[in-house]
Amino acid sequence: MENRLIIAFNISKTYDLLLQGKGDRTSIYDCTRHYWGRVKKQRAELAELAFGVAHGKIVGVYKPATWRYVDYNGGTRIEFEGVEISDSPYLGLDISEYFHKIQNPVRYIGRW
């Protein structure tokens, strides 16, 4: 994993709402791809993979194809469109050490 450029998103809150049938996200993909702040498009475009991480475990793996800025709740956020990698060996891995005591829900993994 360290040899790849990966952007990981902590989706714990929206993931829990999804499991409860609440919120406006309809899939793990929607939880992972939408409405991130504090992410520069130029940097995100370098990512080979995007992880959706819930409670420290990888629950979704995607290959981003395009990144774009969108208006969301009166601000500018970034989102991506991509392809799910449903057979990824990363699914289920515990990467909680990357999010330990970090407030920003976005982490960059690998050699950035």
Side-chain angles (χ1 to χ4, degrees):
M1 181 167 33
E2 296 295 326
N3 293 329
R4 303 189 84 169
L5 297 179
I6 298 166
I7 189 167
F9 300 101
N10 182 351
I11 62 168
S12 296
K13 290 179 185 176
T14 55
Y15 180 79
D16 289 347
L17 290 172
L18 175 68
L19 292 181
Q20 296 168 15
K22 299 178 182 176
D24 60 351
R25 310 290 168 88
T26 59
S27 66
I28 295 172
Y29 174 62
D30 280 341
C31 293
T32 305
R33 75 182 206 95
H34 280 302
Y35 314 129
W36 298 101
R38 299 183 189 171
V39 177
K40 291 186 179 183
K41 185 178 176 208
Q42 297 86 344
R43 191 169 188 193
E45 288 174 332
L46 297 174
E48 298 171 53
L49 297 173
F51 290 166
V53 180
H55 306 291
K57 296 200 183 215
I58 299 171
V59 295
V61 179
Y62 307 93
K63 176 144 184 66
T66 59
W67 293 86
R68 67 175 170 263
Y69 289 111
V70 295
D71 291 328
Y72 180 73
N73 282 346
T76 301
R77 300 281 189 239
I78 195 167
E79 68 179 14
F80 72 89
E81 287 188 25
V83 177
E84 180 179 14
I85 305 173
S86 59
D87 61 347
S88 172
Y90 299 122
L91 281 170
L93 286 180
D94 184 333
I95 61 167
S96 55
E97 77 254 16
Y98 288 102
F99 290 96
H100 185 66
K101 295 187 179 182
I102 301 291
Q103 288 186 355
N104 188 348
V106 180
R107 299 297 297 156
Y108 298 96
I109 301 169
R111 295 182 178 205
W112 288 86

